[in-house]
Amino acid sequence: MPVVLRERGYRFEFYASDGDEPQHVHVKKDAKHAKVWLVPTVRLEFNRRLRSHEVNEILRLVRGNRVSLLESWNDFFSD
């Protein structure tokens, strides 16, 4: 699973087995984990142990980096 972004203690990564799903990113910090869809709009798929202010921060970070995350997804899964 490539880590495509690190910001504010969060790791943004893809799972190699996720290529058949719509574009998304897994966001992890410690034992906390969220899955965020990138298309058609940024939205939370699930949240494990993250507080609401952390989810809001993650969504803000994903929105701010959406273009580069989509480029990374397309580069990774096009090989």
Side-chain angles (χ1 to χ4, degrees), residues 34-66:
K35 180 178 179 179
V36 180
W37 297 115
L38 300 172
V39 293
T41 60
V42 172
R43 67 190 189 287
L44 183 68
E45 168 65 11
F46 68 75
N47 163 29
R48 304 286 187 268
R49 295 185 212 96
L50 289 156
R51 302 175 106 189
S52 62
H53 74 277
E54 293 172 304
V55 170
N56 290 335
E57 181 176 34
I58 286 168
L59 292 174
R60 182 183 60 76
L61 291 169
V62 170
R63 285 185 187 105
N65 291 283
R66 183 174 178 262

Side-chain angles (χ1 to χ4, degrees), residues 5-73:
L5 177 68
R6 290 180 192 271
E7 193 164 331
R8 302 185 57 83
Y10 297 103
R11 293 183 326 275
F12 297 75
E13 54 192 38
F14 307 134
Y15 295 157
S17 61
D18 285 352
D20 59 341
E21 295 185 34
Q23 295 144 315
H24 65 276
V25 65
H26 294 267
V27 185
K28 297 180 178 181
K29 183 176 186 179
D30 304 322
K32 304 171 187 181
H33 180 195
K35 180 178 179 179
V36 180
W37 297 115
L38 300 172
V39 293
T41 60
V42 172
R43 67 190 189 287
L44 183 68
E45 168 65 11
F46 68 75
N47 163 29
R48 304 286 187 268
R49 295 185 212 96
L50 289 156
R51 302 175 106 189
S52 62
H53 74 277
E54 293 172 304
V55 170
N56 290 335
E57 181 176 34
I58 286 168
L59 292 174
R60 182 183 60 76
L61 291 169
V62 170
R63 285 185 187 105
N65 291 283
R66 183 174 178 262
V67 170
S68 64
L69 291 168
L70 285 168
E71 287 173 356
S72 295
W73 175 282

